[in-house]
Amino acid sequence: MGVMGINWFKYSSPQAFYPLAGKLAPYFLGAAALLAMVGLYVSFFVAPTDFQQGEAYRIIFVHVPAAWMSMFIYLVMAGWAAVGLALNARLSFMMAQALAPTGAMFTFLALVTGALWGKPMWGAWWVWDARLTSELILLFLYIGYMALQAAIEDVRRADRASALFALVGAVNVPIIYFSVKWWNTLHQGASVSLTKAPAMAAVMLWGMLVMALSFWAYTIAVALLRVRCVIAEREREAAWMSED
Amino acid sequence: MKTLHILRWLLQRDIQLVFRRRSDLVSTLFFFVIAVSLFPLGVGAEPALLRAIGPGVLWVAALLSAMLSLSRLFAADHADGTLEQLLLSPVPLTLVVGVKVLAHWLVSGLPLALLAPLLGLQFDLAARDLGVLTLSLLLGTPLLSLIGAIGAALTLGVRGAGVLLAVLVLPLYIPVLIFGAGAVAASATGMDPAAGLSLLGALLALGVVFAPLAAAAALRLSIE
């Protein structure tokens, strides 16, 4: 069977995807736990103590992957929103909806761990650095998306309106990032440079990558479980729902 | 020429409607004046301090007052069914949205921009800075109306639309605020404001093209 022979849209129906999501989620959850154990072991016991920052630097093993995920999940969410608008696929909107809380959670986690790291390093919980500020704005965008989705009663309109907002936000993210960067260089107050990070030991990089993979698996698992909830809520009247 | 005729009629009608209910327009302007006047009372009337915070305060207040009037952009037309007629008309919805945004800017953004230099005097801004302030608001307030139109269309007819609109739109306003207030602050510190103004102009060019498209798509969602 060639590429054309495969039915690419088989799992685009909620009915077909619901059991598949249920089957896949435990594997990703297991992978997330396993990778997190390895990653945390590397970050706490294998990675050497940083000679400048001491032990406090170890929070970056959570902070950096969380920040990566926060931005990546927004892109994936906007991608599902675009697919949903273009192909009129209900499941795509549900995936976008399922991803948003996890993305907001990682954004919040990145901000909190950043503050915890910043206090011993910079002596301040919060610095108006370009990256911190754009991360905060990203959190606002996630909250706006979820608020819009929750405020509209009609599910069809809620899906489309929030998808449109996610896309508008995605177009704006680079503009916001560069404007904040420009603003930051204009107001050279407390000058803290995150960009000139010292060359990192390979072990540290590996620890971070393993943690990132763990977060990745966790995101997929949670999104699958959440999309099952969304499907169950929306299709509760459907005949196939009451069958099993 | 029929399209142009309809669009001109729409522009006249929207402006006329606002002038029939002048109180809305005037209270938005007064909100701007009051919000700006609160800052010296809150932080103290030290001239050096006022000069430093002036550009930012004026811009933030302009942002908030522009946001206040957004919910009126489509709400009345939505309530009395005019919006559905506009959707059915042969004129492309994108152009209709563009004209409605223009009308909205003429009665909300433009007065703000013209009023701002007067308030800038309260913050001891120099004549050159007042000119830059007006110019930056002239470039920036249409952008606020354009971006706001997307939010207004998305939240049309939704419960608690006012707060939701603020949550949606304010993060998207941040680049406008940064470039606008940045240009005035640059001028106040003796630097060239051209960079901020050029970037505002570039954003405005982008906004004029893309924002009506997005707002029209959002309007279609809320009507169907």
Side-chain angles (χ1 to χ4, degrees):
Chain A
M1 200 161 67
V3 178
M4 300 306 286
I6 302 170
N7 183 4
W8 289 100
F9 294 109
K10 182 182 176 198
Y11 288 109
S12 67
S13 95
Q15 184 182 357
F17 192 70
Y18 186 79
L20 179 73
K23 242 178 265 161
L24 286 177
Y27 292 107
F28 282 106
L29 220 51
L34 210 66
L35 286 165
M37 277 195 283
V38 175
L40 288 175
Y41 180 77
V42 169
S43 48
F44 276 111
F45 300 107
V46 181
T49 308
D50 191 272
F51 90 101
Q52 269 184 327
Q53 308 187 2
E55 300 291 348
Y57 91 93
R58 289 184 197 275
I59 203 162
I60 62 160
F61 289 110
V62 175
H63 174 72
V64 174
W68 282 344
M69 289 312 288
S70 67
M71 288 177 267
F72 182 67
I73 291 176
Y74 193 89
L75 277 184
V76 175
M77 192 181 89
W80 279 122
V83 170
L85 285 175
L87 300 180
N88 205 4
R90 279 186 306 151
L91 191 61
S92 306
F93 293 125
M94 295 186 201
M95 279 307 285
Q97 190 191 345
L99 280 166
T102 310
M105 188 273 284
F106 275 124
T107 316
F108 186 69
L109 188 65
L111 285 170
V112 170
T113 50
L116 290 175
W117 179 82
K119 186 62 184 163
M121 292 307 141
W122 302 334
W125 294 109
W126 182 261
V127 174
W128 288 95
D129 172 80
R131 293 192 198 185
L132 269 77
T133 314
S134 26
E135 194 73 12
L136 184 67
I137 297 166
L138 188 65
L139 183 63
F140 294 159
L141 289 179
Y142 273 119
I143 290 172
Y145 173 87
M146 289 190 287
L148 187 62
Q149 169 89 42
I152 304 178
E153 303 246 332
D154 175 25
V155 175
R156 201 177 128 80
R157 188 185 159 199
D159 276 346
R160 277 146 202 283
S162 51
L164 198 64
F165 179 73
L167 285 182
V168 172
V171 171
N172 267 281
V173 162
I175 299 177
I176 292 174
Y177 178 74
F178 284 109
S179 70
V180 170
K181 214 170 158 152
W182 189 76
W183 165 78
N184 191 242
T185 47
L186 191 74
H187 298 255
Q188 273 295 346
S191 173
V192 181
S193 173
L194 281 172
T195 34
K196 288 196 280 305
M200 210 180 290
V203 193
M204 295 186 193
L205 192 66
W206 276 109
M208 258 199 282
L209 283 179
V210 173
M211 285 304 285
L213 284 176
S214 157
F215 283 5
W216 206 310
Y218 167 82
T219 308
I220 296 174
V222 171
L224 288 176
L225 290 175
R226 201 174 284 124
V227 89
R228 268 171 72 89
C229 292
V230 176
I231 293 174
E233 195 186 340
R234 293 193 186 182
E235 309 277 302
R236 59 183 182 275
E237 310 288 336
W240 66 268
M241 206 45 158
S242 44
E243 274 165 20
D244 35 48
Chain B
M1 281 306 98
K2 196 151 186 230
T3 306
L4 272 182
H5 180 75
I6 296 177
L7 291 177
R8 198 181 310 124
W9 165 82
L10 187 64
L11 184 68
Q12 276 174 0
R13 169 188 168 275
D14 270 22
I15 293 174
Q16 201 167 28
L17 278 177
V18 172
F19 275 97
R20 293 265 160 86
R21 289 192 51 143
R22 268 178 294 253
S23 62
D24 286 352
L25 168 67
V26 175
S27 31
T28 310
L29 281 179
F30 265 107
F31 172 82
F32 182 50
V33 175
I34 294 169
V36 167
S37 313
L38 287 179
F39 279 88
L41 298 175
V43 300
E46 192 74 30
L49 179 66
L50 287 184
R51 265 198 299 277
I53 65 166
V57 166
L58 285 160
W59 254 97
V60 170
L63 214 73
L64 294 176
S65 17
M67 201 196 64
L68 275 185
S69 57
L70 278 181
S71 51
R72 285 201 302 274
L73 194 49
F74 301 116
D77 285 354
H78 180 56
D80 66 10
T82 315
L83 205 57
E84 279 173 46
Q85 298 304 316
L86 285 172
L87 252 86
L88 292 173
S89 78
V91 184
L93 189 58
T94 314
L95 288 179
V96 169
V97 170
V99 166
K100 284 191 79 69
V101 169
L102 176 65
H104 177 260
W105 176 72
L106 284 174
V107 293
S108 67
L110 186 61
L112 279 187
L114 298 179
L115 192 64
L118 205 62
L119 298 175
L121 286 176
Q122 289 186 322
F123 287 82
D124 198 24
L125 293 181
R128 191 178 98 106
D129 307 339
L130 292 177
V132 175
L133 175 71
T134 315
L135 199 57
S136 71
L137 280 171
L138 281 177
L139 284 171
T141 43
L143 207 49
L144 299 182
S145 296
L146 283 164
I147 299 170
I150 303 174
L154 283 174
T155 56
L156 194 58
V158 173
R159 230 177 335 104
V163 183
L164 188 59
L165 182 61
V167 172
L168 292 184
V169 160
L170 284 180
L172 301 178
Y173 276 176
I174 288 170
V176 187
L177 170 70
I178 288 176
F179 296 137
V184 186
S187 164
T189 48
M191 285 187 290
D192 191 7
L197 293 176
S198 313
L199 283 164
L200 267 186
L203 284 184
L204 181 58
L206 276 179
V208 165
V209 177
F210 290 111
L213 280 173
L219 270 188
R220 279 203 195 90
L221 292 179
S222 54
I223 294 294
E224 68 185 19

